[in-house]
Structures are given as C-alpha cells and as structure tokens.
Amino acid sequence: MVSKKNIIIALIAVILVAGVGIWATGTFQTSDSDLNGKEIHLAAAASLKNAYDNDLIPMFEKEHPGVKVTPTYASSGDLQTQIENGLDADVFMSASNKQMNALADEGLVDNSTNVQFLENKVVLIVPKDSNSNISSFEDLKNVKGSIAIGDPESVPAGQYGKEVLNNLGVWKDVESKLSYGTDVTAVLNQVAQGSAECGIVYATDAKSTDDVKVVCEAPENALDTPVIYPVAIVNGTDNSDASKVFLEFLQSEEAKKVFEEYGFTIH
C-alpha cells in the first residue's frame, strides 16, 4: 500500500519536472488568454519605424489577437530622456548601446532581458539625381553645400557619423558644413529633398526610399564598435508577461527575416 507521504513526494516530483520542462526550452510560457487586453508600449529608434509599422507589429498582433502594440519613435537619445522622465514604455529598442547602458545604469531597464541581435551599417548618401563627384567620406572635404547628419549629442547615427569622420581625419574639415537633424528620418528627408548635398545615415534608412542613392559604406576601420541595436524590457512595466512574449517574437526566425529585408544584419 502506497503511503500518503510517498504520494506527496511523487506529486512534488511531477510538478518539478513540469517546471523544468517549461524553462529548459529557454522560452517564457504564457497563453494568449493570459494576454487578452494587454497593450505593449514600444519605444523604438526612428530607423526601426518602417520595419515595425509595415510588418512586425501587424505580424505580432495577428499571432496574438488579444494584444495591441503602441509604438513611439524618435532618436534613441530623445527616447532615453523620455523614459527618464516617465514615458509609459514597456519595451525599449535603441540604435546604440550608449542609451541602453545609461538606462540600465539608472535601473530603468531590466538588463537581464537585454538582447543584442541586430546590426546596421553607416552609409553616405546623395539625392537620387545628384551629379556629385562624391565617392568616399574623404571627399566630403570638397563639398560646397551642407552635409546632413544626426545631432551627435542625441542621435546614434550622428554619433557614429562623427566617429567615422574623426577616424578618417576629416571632421575638422567638414564641421562647419554640417546640418544637424533631430533623427535619421530628418537627415534622410534633407537629402531626399535636395536641401543637403549629401548625408550620413544607416543603410536601412537609405533602403527605405528611392529618393536617395548610396555613395559608399563606412570602412570597417572607421568605426570603433559595430552599430548594434539592443532591446530590453523597461523596469516597472505592468505588462512584463506580454513584453517577454514580444521579445521572443522579435528573435523568431520570421521576425529576423523581416529585419533582414529592411537591410539589417542579424548579429
């Protein structure tokens, strides 16, 4: 006859095995019924807008019909400031580790959820109908008009752009010609509309419009660090379960294919 003690021990063992099975896969198990009515507030770098709005958000909401994703797009530096000032954000995706690390140091993002899986490239662009002789970043010394670039104080693309120009030894020659944009979209628009002779943006931005053409990509030795896009959950969120499911979706093969279609490299 099986004792009550043995039955209890057996039940505990079953529960433990089940628990191990759930977490051994490395995935967070939450049913869609648990997520019904949830709204994920996404704070994402402006260079991610097209990929999210056109494909990723619709895909996620189709897979999880009870969940709504509400995005806020801006430069990563601007988003960092907004989160510091209480922006209602559940997930933050930056175009640089600088802003993510700052928020982690302040305890505003959960660094244990920080995932770094996307890489971008810095490119030099001109208007599509330009007859410019620009063929390299070094040629910017000869530009007569303005050079559009993100503000290095708050825009990661501008920070990377300044790093490229410094490392190639042309920053001092072009600094007076620079026209600062509040984000990469503003820089892209300056060049597309012809108000700037050329500009420095991400490869993904250049790919998003037919109104500009890429002159060249920044040499690898011109960047001290690759252009990595980290994503993490914001501390204090009321939607941690839904946010974890969203992060898992972003790392799925279907989502990675979308990012690649928009010009990102899987890191």
Side-chain angles (χ1 to χ4, degrees):
M1 183 174 182
V2 180
S3 69
K4 183 182 292 186
K5 181 180 179 180
N6 287 338
I7 293 174
I8 293 173
I9 291 173
L11 287 172
I12 291 173
V14 169
I15 292 170
L16 289 174
V17 170
V20 171
I22 288 173
W23 291 104
T25 59
T27 58
F28 182 81
Q29 301 294 319
T30 300
S31 68
D32 278 355
S33 61
D34 295 330
L35 303 180
N36 276 338
K38 295 288 186 179
E39 181 177 7
I40 300 170
H41 292 91
L42 168 68
S47 50
L48 292 159
K49 185 178 189 302
N50 290 335
Y52 272 122
D53 283 355
N54 297 341
D55 291 279
L56 293 169
I57 290 177
M59 283 170 59
F60 178 78
E61 291 181 342
K62 184 177 180 180
E63 289 184 15
H64 305 278
V67 187
K68 177 178 174 58
V69 179
T70 301
T72 297
Y73 303 110
S75 72
S76 299
D78 186 20
L79 291 173
Q80 175 192 337
T81 300
Q82 290 186 53
I83 292 172
E84 290 169 336
N85 291 329
L87 175 69
D88 186 8
D90 302 305
V91 175
F92 175 47
M93 190 162 188
S94 173
S96 167
N97 273 313
K98 178 180 179 180
Q99 290 74 26
M100 184 66 77
N101 291 342
L103 291 177
D105 290 343
E106 295 168 30
L108 294 175
V109 297
D110 181 357
N111 211 33
S112 69
T113 66
N114 188 337
V115 179
Q116 307 195 2
F117 67 103
L118 288 187
E119 184 177 349
N120 213 335
K121 302 295 182 183
V122 176
V123 298
L124 182 61
I125 59 171
V126 296
K128 65 176 181 180
D129 55 357
S130 171
N131 294 318
S132 171
N133 292 322
I134 301 171
S135 61
S136 69
F137 281 87
E138 287 85 353
D139 288 340
L140 294 179
K141 293 184 292 186
N142 305 318
V143 169
K144 302 300 182 184
S146 63
I147 303 167
I149 184 175
D151 186 346
E153 292 300 316
S154 60
V155 184
Q159 294 161 7
Y160 286 118
K162 181 177 180 178
E163 185 177 304
V164 168
L165 297 174
N166 263 324
N167 288 342
L168 293 177
V170 297
W171 173 260
K172 291 182 178 178
D173 295 309
V174 303
E175 189 174 5
S176 62
K177 309 172 189 177
L178 300 178
S179 173
Y180 294 130
T182 55
D183 56 34
V184 286
T185 303
V187 173
L188 190 67
N189 289 337
Q190 284 189 54
V191 179
Q193 295 164 8
S195 58
E197 187 172 339
C198 55
I200 300 173
V201 297
Y202 294 127
T204 52
D205 301 304
K207 192 173 182 178
S208 70
T209 176
D210 294 328
D211 294 329
V212 303
K213 57 185 178 183
V214 175
V215 171
C216 66
E217 184 179 298
E220 285 190 15
N221 62 356
L223 280 172
D224 298 328
T225 56
V227 183
I228 302 299
Y229 281 56
V231 59
I233 295 175
V234 178
N235 273 331
T237 173
D238 293 328
N239 297 312
S240 59
D241 287 358
S243 298
K244 289 175 182 176
V245 172
F246 186 64
L247 255 62
E248 288 182 358
F249 163 77
L250 294 180
Q251 298 170 75
S252 67
E253 290 306 313
E254 58 180 346
K256 287 179 180 179
K257 287 179 182 178
V258 170
F259 282 122
E260 288 177 325
E261 287 170 2
Y262 281 85
F264 291 97
T265 301
I266 303 302
H267 179 63

